[in-house]
Amino acid sequence: MSDKPYKLAKIVGPVVIMASAVSQEYGAGINAVAIQSIGSYPAVLGLVPLIMFITGLLMLPKVFMYQRFGGVASKSGGQYVWISRTTSPELGFIVHFLYWIGIVSAMGFIGFTVGSTLASTLVSLGITAGSWFSTFLGHIILGLTLIWGFFLIHYSGVKSYGVLVIILFGLILLAAVISIAVGFITPNSVYTHYLSSQVFKGSIPSYPTPQLSYSAFFGTITLFIFAYAGISAAPLLGGEARNPKRDMPRGIMYAWIIALILFSLVSLAIFHIISGQQVLSLIRSKDSYYATIPGIINIAEPSLLGALFSVIVTVIIAKTIVPELLTSSRTLFAWGEDRILPGIFTHTTRFKSPDFALFVSALFASLYLVYTTSVGVSAVDVRSLSVIIEMMALGSGVLLVSRKKEKKRVGKTCFQYFYEDCFNSCYYSEPHYYSQHIYRAQCSYTSSAIGPGDTCYSCWISYI
């Protein structure tokens, strides 16, 4: 077997890994979905901040798994590689294909959402012509411009991507600080007066709410998984990390801590301005824009700050496409490495970016954009479901590896070799002997043994 005819640039550090994950996490999930979840589960009302915090804590096992795998098994393809090597190649592909569908559909959905957000922002600033972006043609042109503009940035290499996500991370912190400060300073009476005088032109209607149930509580958690799903962007940079054993676990943990703090504080601050019952009234009255963070901040600060915040949030929602395009393309790249897809998917440019994988990702995102604009469907449920299935598959992989560890272990033995040797190219100069067995590397697709001097990128360890 010969060495790989392609190569990605290994220049990414923990800050870029963290910024990439946070850039995918902090977007529509916190600015719209978190508050408007009351429309789907009205029983939760003011419990949204608490549920957001609990959802973040429930992601901790996923973070630990990502740290463990990322530290010893960092490859382009991230979670797909982990699942396929710890369970089976077939399961890894099936699970991550659903995950990939969720990613490309989310890119199309966000491309659509930006049109509505930008139109509302411009109209609130007195630019009535901005309503054009909420039309069918406006959604399509703006969405395609964003998707293919970000495609060009990715095409120029992962260094350009790293610079961009760090800038976007700074923008996220600015938006979060504004949300938190305005939320805790502004009393609910300001918002109540505006709704009565400007929106409803009278008393705020009240709608009956069902009693809180376990199904409503955990259903809301399922929705909020969409907000935290962005941490999955971190492992996909494994093939481009400078020192993955050190940088990947750090970047993943930093991203989780920052997301947990920002999501919890922002949601708590916003529900200091607006009550859950007011959110429900706005949603049922078809005035849901005022139940988003940009709408709330514009009411609390109807000045230059409110206008600036609206523009920032529009950019933040749009930027979510950037890490999602990386996630989608690196998954296709990994499938190309494993020969699930044709070899052209592993082709890289002189900037060491997988151009064909990027092109296909952008193309499918564009198709979903057109579909969403035409039919009007959301990608939130698909995205959340794919994240849950991925977590279950990773957990199964950990259990299977643990069983192999108990069965074959002598000292550090097979568990260490399974991760370090198998995931790091399965390069053997001689057989390894443990517990009376001869361990060898075996290609997971051809089932042929990997002998001395051979290199395989899709393998497991078995014993004779």
Side-chain angles (χ1 to χ4, degrees), residues 107-117 133 139 143 369 372-373 376-377:
M107 284 192 285
F109 176 69
I110 289 169
F112 168 82
T113 303
V114 173
S116 302
T117 306
F133 288 104
H139 279 297
L369 166 67
T372 302
T373 306
V377 295

Side-chain angles (χ1 to χ4, degrees), residues 128-309:
T128 56
S131 61
W132 176 82
F133 288 104
S134 62
T135 65
F136 178 85
L137 190 60
H139 279 297
I140 295 296
I141 292 178
L142 179 60
L144 291 177
T145 300
L146 289 172
I147 291 171
W148 292 99
F150 292 142
F151 164 82
L152 293 176
I153 292 175
H154 276 282
Y155 185 90
S156 64
V158 73
K159 184 176 182 180
S160 299
Y161 171 81
V163 172
L164 178 60
V165 293
I166 290 176
I167 294 173
L168 293 173
F169 175 68
L171 201 62
I172 288 169
L173 291 181
L174 176 60
V177 168
I178 294 175
S179 301
I180 294 168
V182 173
F184 284 124
I185 292 173
T186 307
N188 176 256
S189 58
V190 173
Y191 197 79
T192 302
H193 174 73
Y194 184 91
L195 293 183
S196 300
S197 61
Q198 302 297 324
V199 179
F200 296 109
K201 308 296 183 181
S203 60
I204 302 174
S206 179
Y207 294 89
T209 57
Q211 186 176 3
L212 181 65
S213 62
Y214 287 111
S215 61
F217 190 86
F218 287 103
T220 307
I221 287 178
T222 302
L223 282 180
F224 289 176
I225 288 176
F226 172 80
Y228 285 98
I231 198 171
S232 302
L236 274 297
L237 283 168
E240 291 149 288
R242 273 196 307 264
N243 186 344
K245 290 187 178 181
R246 181 193 66 189
D247 296 341
M248 190 58 66
R250 290 182 181 180
I252 292 170
M253 180 57 71
Y254 296 160
W256 175 75
I257 292 174
I258 291 172
L260 180 67
I261 294 173
L262 293 185
F263 286 177
S264 300
L265 289 180
V266 168
S267 58
L268 186 62
I270 292 303
F271 275 86
H272 178 261
I273 298 181
I274 186 172
S275 68
Q277 184 60 54
Q278 289 172 337
V279 172
L280 183 62
S281 299
L282 288 168
I283 294 174
R284 295 287 171 82
S285 303
K286 308 301 181 183
D287 290 306
S288 57
Y289 166 72
Y290 297 102
T292 63
I293 292 182
I296 293 170
I297 298 297
N298 268 318
I299 293 173
E301 295 290 335
S303 59
L304 181 61
L305 179 61
L308 175 63
F309 182 83

Side-chain angles (χ1 to χ4, degrees), residues 25-55:
E25 286 180 296
Y26 198 100
I30 185 63
N31 285 293
V33 175
I35 301 173
Q36 297 193 12
S37 61
I38 292 177
S40 301
Y41 301 100
V44 300
L45 291 179
L47 293 177
V48 168
L50 175 63
I51 298 176
M52 180 64 76
F53 179 74
I54 291 175
T55 304

Side-chain angles (χ1 to χ4, degrees), residues 404 407-408 414 432 434-442 460-464:
K404 292 177 183 179
K407 181 179 179 181
K408 303 177 182 180
C414 184
H432 297 283
Y434 295 107
S435 186
Q436 308 302 316
H437 292 294
I438 304 175
Y439 287 83
R440 69 182 181 186
Q442 179 180 353
W460 55 53
I461 286 187
S462 62
Y463 60 82
I464 303 173

